[in-house]
Amino acid sequence: MLTNMSTSLHHRAIEHLGTRIVGGSLPTGHVMLAEQLEDELKVSRSVVREAVRVLQSLGLVETTKRVGIRVLPPHRWNPFDPQVIRWRLASDGRGAQLRSLAELRSAVEPVAAELAAVNAPDDLRRELLEVSLAMRDAGQAGDVPRFLELDIQFHSLLLSGSGNEMFANLVGQVAETLTGRTVHGLMPDRPRDVVLQWHLDVAKAIFTGDAAEAREASSMIMRQTISEMEPVWMEQPRVFVPVPRR
Amino acid sequence: MLTNMSTSLHHRAIEHLGTRIVGGSLPTGHVMLAEQLEDELKVSRSVVREAVRVLQSLGLVETTKRVGIRVLPPHRWNPFDPQVIRWRLASDGRGAQLRSLAELRSAVEPVAAELAAVNAPDDLRRELLEVSLAMRDAGQAGDVPRFLELDIQFHSLLLSGSGNEMFANLVGQVAETLTGRTVHGLMPDRPRDVVLQWHLDVAKAIFTGDAAEAREASSMIMRQTISEMEPVWMEQPRVFVPVPRR
DNA sequence: TGACACCGATGTGTGCTGACATCAAAACTC
DNA sequence: GAGTTTTGATGTCAGCACACATCGGTGTCA
């Protein structure tokens, strides 16, 4: 066996194929043979087979006897899988992916805020309040990296505090969205005062258990976020997936 | 080899382990050995290894050298994976799963309606209108199975029409929620007239491009749905996942 | 004598390989 | 054109070499 290095062969194989499929260099309908992948990746059958099985479970490929490994169309991919999202963010589909995530956030966060106001444990409410205060300080001081860190912290706490496991699972994706925004230079040097105030409003409302106010303030943040990020995906066309007939 | 039957060994192995882990009979921290699974499932190592790799990508287990295959805690499971959701719906966690899905719907659908009013292609708007009319007829006639079918159709069109691939991907889960509601006997024999009216309102608003009205009417439906389904998960405790520190 | 650091044995996942089974597409026969 | 055979790919199996985390024994030092 050749030098295996840090990451496992299995992981590397998945990464290699995943990026190529999602990136588009292996187009929909493209057929590969397992043996051919062995040669290409210089790994054994077991590695290829295990990698293909994982990609199959993500909806990226299907295997058919007598045919081979076929790349499936994008609408078959599991759009909620963290790996798929990561691969898309690293590809041309980055804009469309960020739009999807931003819209998902804009849907989920106000409801999460509402739920957190009703259900969140006390220490989490307190921490949320502290973070929102720290955000104000960092924001007014123009400390962008610190602000980003706290921003992620804030929204993570909010989503976790909802007590909905699906919402809580979106923290990773939200972090991607937020960092993506700064990376794209879409953040003003100094966050707007209203945005800081809205974050404070959300934290206070959750602290006092005011669900309606929490939702409202969160909606404001989301509206602002979307309008700031819109340039990223402006030219990206929307795709309408056919609804499965029965 | 014993009779292998319709589904592949690989699929059966995944199903076997997935149901047991999600169902709780293999508790968090439980450690299995690959060899032991071979004996238990009466399959070879490759089948076990490929199945374990898939479960690993779903966050259900992790493998450590010298230790074995360890079952991970529920908060590490990918809550958006269709398989995981299916396993949970078939287990004790059914109530909590339905709550998560219902809350997700209640967050997403109003936003999807808003987006559909802006972006949906014309034929989809037309179809949505037709379906909402058919729903009214089936509802008033008390034809429950037909109503359920149309209801699923309606919400699928709505989610697809948003042009957001993540929203569109939720059709399967929404269908589960809706069927789950009838299965649990939570649907009145004859859907309330207001609900039928709200569905018509959503369809009309999307048809005429009135985003705000589409959102509002959709919110009403969601509010009603949640309140109808609440009994299912009343006694289920909420789980608060620790937010990952950096 | 007791505490601690070191180190080698052990067991288990990782990776590789050759062989056979299965099954569906494609080619062939009638 | 329908039915049959062939073919070629994945599916499944079993055995091996290797890497490496853990455990327990050994040695050193106080």
Side-chain angles (χ1 to χ4, degrees), chain B residues 122-152:
Chain B
D122 286 347
D123 53 347
L124 196 149
R125 296 174 199 253
R126 219 169 294 124
E127 198 178 350
L128 204 49
L129 209 48
E130 287 164 14
V131 172
S132 68
L133 289 168
M135 279 179 78
R136 186 192 55 190
D137 296 345
Q140 289 178 344
D143 185 346
V144 175
R146 173 87 178 129
F147 181 81
L148 173 61
E149 186 189 335
L150 289 166
D151 201 10
I152 292 173

Side-chain angles (χ1 to χ4, degrees), chain A residues 12-24 26 55 60 87:
Chain A
R12 289 200 315 183
I14 289 182
E15 208 62 23
H16 178 91
L17 290 172
T19 50
R20 293 195 133 198
I21 292 172
V22 175
L26 295 175
L55 296 176
L60 263 60
W87 291 326

Side-chain angles (χ1 to χ4, degrees), chain A residues 23-239:
Chain A
S25 70
L26 295 175
T28 298
H30 180 82
V31 173
M32 299 163 292
L33 271 40
E35 194 183 347
Q36 159 195 343
L37 291 177
E38 294 173 33
D39 297 346
E40 194 177 323
L41 302 176
K42 296 280 188 292
V43 294
S44 72
R45 280 211 307 284
S46 39
V47 174
V48 168
R49 288 180 50 83
E50 287 163 27
V52 167
R53 280 268 140 92
V54 171
L55 296 176
Q56 198 176 20
S57 86
L58 300 181
L60 263 60
V61 301
E62 72 180 355
T63 61
T64 315
K65 281 188 179 180
R66 173 77 196 186
V67 174
I69 302 151
R70 186 184 291 117
V71 176
L72 291 174
H75 72 84
R76 296 283 301 276
W77 305 346
N78 182 351
F80 285 98
D81 186 90
Q83 291 189 107
V84 174
I85 291 173
R86 192 162 41 76
W87 291 326
R88 270 196 90 200
L89 285 174
S91 78
D92 289 346
R94 186 184 175 85
Q97 180 65 72
L98 283 172
R99 177 175 59 200
S100 293
L101 285 172
E103 286 172 357
L104 180 64
R105 271 191 76 197
S106 79
V108 164
E109 284 210 24
V111 176
E114 207 174 2
L115 289 170
V118 179
N119 301 305
D122 285 348
D123 53 347
L124 195 148
R125 296 174 199 253
R126 218 168 297 125
E127 200 179 348
L128 205 47
L129 209 48
E130 287 164 15
V131 172
S132 68
L133 289 168
M135 280 179 78
R136 186 191 53 189
D137 296 344
Q140 289 178 343
D143 185 346
V144 175
R146 172 85 179 134
F147 181 81
L148 173 61
E149 186 188 337
L150 289 166
D151 201 11
I152 292 174
Q153 183 79 7
F154 179 90
H155 293 282
S156 299
L157 282 167
L158 176 59
L159 292 168
S160 301
S162 70
N164 179 310
E165 57 224 330
M166 299 182 97
F167 293 179
N169 192 257
L170 294 172
V171 294
Q173 279 85 314
V174 168
E176 285 289 350
T177 315
L178 294 174
T179 49
R181 180 168 53 158
T182 57
V183 165
H184 278 73
L186 294 169
M187 282 291 289
D189 292 346
R190 212 170 136 289
R192 296 171 177 229
D193 286 338
V194 268
V195 173
L196 297 174
Q197 185 57 49
W198 289 332
H199 279 79
L200 281 170
D201 291 345
V202 170
K204 283 183 195 164
I206 289 174
F207 189 77
T208 61
D210 185 344
E213 166 64 13
R215 179 193 191 113
E216 195 48 45
S218 175
S219 293
M220 298 300 279
I221 297 174
M222 288 302 107
R223 204 186 312 272
Q224 173 68 19
T225 301
I226 292 260
S227 74
E228 273 174 16
M229 294 193 67
E230 227 160 16
V232 178
W233 57 70
M234 273 301 268
E235 68 274 30
Q236 298 282 341
R238 285 192 184 265
V239 178

